[in-house]
Amino acid sequence: MSDAPERRDRQPKIKIAEYLQQVRSLAERFAIQEREEVELAAARGRVLAQAITAGVDIPGFANSAMDGYAVRAADLEEVPARLRIVGEQPAGPARDVAVGAGEAVRIMTGAPLPAGADTVVQSELTEEDDGQVVIGEAVRPGANVRHPGEDVSSGETVLVQGTRLAGRQLSAAAAVGTSRVQVVRQPVLGVLSTGDELVPPGGVLAPGQIYESNSYLLAGLAEESGARVIRRHAVADRPEELAVVLDELTSQCDAVLLSGGVSVGRFDVVRNLLDGEAESTFHRVSLQPGKPQGYAVWKGTPLLAFPGNPVGAFISFHVFGRPFIRTLTGQVNPQTPRRQIRAGASWKSPQGRSQYVPGRVRLNAAGQVVFEPTSAHGSGSHLVATLAQASALCVIPADVEFVQAGQLVDVEDIL
Ligand SMILES: Nc1nc2c(c(=O)[nH]1)N[C@H]1C(S)=C(S)[C@@H](COP(=O)(O)OP(=O)(O)OC[C@H]3O[C@@H](n4cnc5c(N)ncnc54)[C@H](O)[C@@H]3O)O[C@H]1N2
Ligand code: MOO
């Protein structure tokens, strides 16, 4: 057992932005430098180590947006118009058909626009009669024609370096002809829970014990952020055991996320063990939940230490963990978008800490869009089960102590 004394920690709190800057600086120093080339189909979730430049225009040629008839707008000045059908152009190679005065070509969506045509009339507005097409309604000149380079021109940047590749980005790369991409090596993250009271789910709970859940939370979030994860649990009051697990994890990982044991209690082993380590930094951050935070470098590998309370661990990942992984993998860190929505309930917020309240954005009975906390207990950092129902976070500034139903509040989506 550790016999470390309880700390009387009256350290002033630091601002979220200040601590975030420290976390990002740490990640910048350990940013992954290795690159690899992978098939586009295997690149989902990876981070681009190069820009993708269009090798072709998109669209590549003038083409039809509808199934219908390619015509000359000048022939539609008076409707109904009757035009002679002189050919057909499906999607695919351009046929040797052209549209002259008084003529039309039957055309399919995506097919190249025949020479002479400048407008496409969709088939619903037409009737065919004895080799002619009858167009009964006026059609805007140039309607239903997609022009070359309208989306992107050859030589333009389609995806910047540092983009994380999801389905849409893979599709953009494919559409400009890219088949292999340079990506940043996938980060390997250790996830380590500490706590004597923690029993793996499925085990038998003795009095005072609870099921361990943070490693599932943080491993899941880290994987969703593109990392490969190695998950472990070490008991809280045995620093030697924690040191062994840290040795093992840091020898295989680019970084380790810890939860629990960072506060001021006698058994807060993470803090007790790391306190003497290189660059070990512990702060009280003006955040609720998620006040106690720390980082250190263990045998050359950065560690981020989050509080053990499950919602605190989640908010810590949302505010610091995800930006840390993004920086580690060379991604840009855009500001998390916030929008103002009316509070759908009243609640208290702790003085001097920015409160993050899990909840949902919904329509209330009066038809107003409101933010509603998922739990009547608001931002309580132990509310692990109701956290799963939340899809948004309400962010209350540090100087606000009470939120009145109906007032505008800042809301962020949970990614
Ligand atoms: N005297 C003070 N006590 C506390 C302070 C303070 O300023 N002065 N801060 C409180 C705040 S705020 C937080 S947050 C917690 C942080 O404590 P630790 O990070 O040291 O976390 P633990 O004590 O290990 O655990 C807290 C809580 O969370 C449960 N837990 C921990 N790990 C897991 C896990 N992997 N899965 C599920 N649940 C977990 C643990 O059982 C505790 O209930 O300190 C306050 N105290
Ligand atoms: O900062 Mo703690 O996570 O509120 O309980």
Side-chain angles (χ1 to χ4, degrees):
M1 289 270 284
S2 156
D3 54 3
E6 191 169 322
R7 291 159 205 280
R8 289 282 176 265
D9 203 339
R10 298 204 173 40
Q11 203 186 3
K13 289 195 271 291
I14 70 165
K15 292 208 165 73
I16 295 172
E18 193 181 330
Y19 187 63
L20 179 58
Q21 192 45 51
Q22 294 183 13
V23 165
R24 281 196 190 146
S25 305
L26 178 72
E28 267 164 23
R29 288 175 31 222
F30 290 91
I32 296 171
Q33 302 302 329
E34 299 98 305
R35 307 319 191 207
E36 58 195 13
E37 194 177 290
V38 295
E39 294 280 343
L40 195 56
R44 194 184 68 84
R46 304 295 296 275
V47 176
L48 268 181
Q50 60 166 124
I52 302 285
T53 305
V56 292
D57 285 350
I58 298 189
F61 46 87
N63 70 87
S64 174
M66 292 284 178
D67 294 329
Y69 297 85
V71 301
R72 301 161 82 116
D75 286 338
L76 303 185
E77 277 167 12
E78 283 176 29
V79 285
R82 202 171 247 280
L83 305 174
R84 194 161 57 86
I85 300 170
V86 295
E88 193 167 52
Q89 175 64 68
R95 292 186 179 174
D96 188 18
V97 284
V99 176
E103 294 177 345
V105 164
R106 215 180 272 122
I107 194 166
M108 312 306 148
T109 304
L113 198 70
D118 56 17
T119 301
V120 171
V121 183
Q122 67 190 85
S123 47
E124 292 88 328
L125 306 181
T126 67
E127 270 178 32
E128 273 199 29
D129 175 32
D130 195 19
Q132 298 191 319
V133 57
V134 183
I135 298 157
E137 290 181 35
V139 175
R140 179 180 57 80
N144 301 317
V145 175
R146 303 161 168 166
H147 297 281
E150 203 167 79
D151 190 13
V152 73
S153 300
S154 178
E156 266 184 62
T157 301
V158 178
L159 297 170
V160 296
Q161 181 174 340
T163 300
R164 180 127 183 266
L165 297 168
R168 283 179 300 126
Q169 289 73 33
L170 293 175
S171 128
V176 296
T178 309
S179 62
R180 298 178 68 80
V181 283
Q182 285 279 333
V183 292
V184 177
R185 174 176 62 70
Q186 187 180 24
V188 183
L189 255 77
V191 167
L192 174 56
S193 290
T194 62
D196 258 348
E197 72 285 20
L198 305 174
V199 175
V204 178
L205 293 180
Q209 292 189 315
I210 61 167
Y211 290 122
E212 195 283 310
S213 58
N214 284 352
S215 72
Y216 296 87
L217 171 84
L218 294 173
L221 293 168
E223 281 172 0
E224 285 157 24
S225 294
R228 184 162 73 74
V229 167
I230 304 176
R231 199 166 54 85
R232 293 278 185 277
H233 170 214
V235 296
D237 62 352
R238 287 208 285 275
E240 337 58 71
E241 180 186 332
L242 179 59
V244 170
V245 181
L246 276 179
D247 282 350
E248 187 231 320
L249 276 179
T250 51
S251 68
Q252 306 172 67
C253 296
D254 295 296
V256 177
L257 303 181
L258 294 112
S259 71
V262 297
S263 189
V264 296
R266 278 161 46 80
F267 306 120
D268 284 333
V269 71
V270 169
R271 184 156 180 181
N272 291 336
L273 181 69
L274 296 182
D275 243 358
E277 280 305 307
E279 306 187 43
S280 171
T281 305
F282 282 85
H283 284 296
R284 293 173 352 121
V285 179
S286 58
L287 174 63
Q288 193 279 319
K291 178 182 66 177
Q293 298 286 338
Y295 64 83
V297 177
W298 181 273
K299 310 235 163 119
T301 301
L303 316 175
L304 284 193
F306 298 152
N309 279 313
V311 185
F314 171 68
I315 300 297
S316 302
F317 186 90
H318 179 82
V319 178
F320 306 117
R322 189 178 294 110
F324 177 84
I325 294 175
R326 292 184 71 101
T327 305
L328 205 61
T329 51
Q331 299 176 71
V332 283
N333 266 298
Q335 277 228 309
T336 310
R338 285 186 186 172
R339 56 198 191 281
Q340 290 214 308
I341 295 180
R342 297 205 181 274
S346 302
W347 68 83
K348 286 188 188 149
S349 182
Q351 206 275 325
R353 295 163 79 187
S354 251
Q355 185 191 37
Y356 276 66
V357 186
R360 285 182 289 242
V361 175
R362 18 174 67 185
L363 272 187
N364 67 9
Q368 291 171 314
V369 179
V370 292
F371 173 88
E372 282 175 357
T374 6
S375 167
H377 302 284
S379 62
S381 58
H382 57 300
L383 304 168
V384 59
T386 41
L387 176 64
Q389 312 303 323
S391 53
L393 294 167
C394 180
V395 186
I396 305 298
D399 58 353
V400 173
E401 291 182 52
F402 187 74
V403 175
Q404 181 70 47
Q407 83 173 70
L408 285 171
V409 286
D410 283 338
V411 173
E412 292 180 357
D413 285 332
I414 291 178
L415 300 176

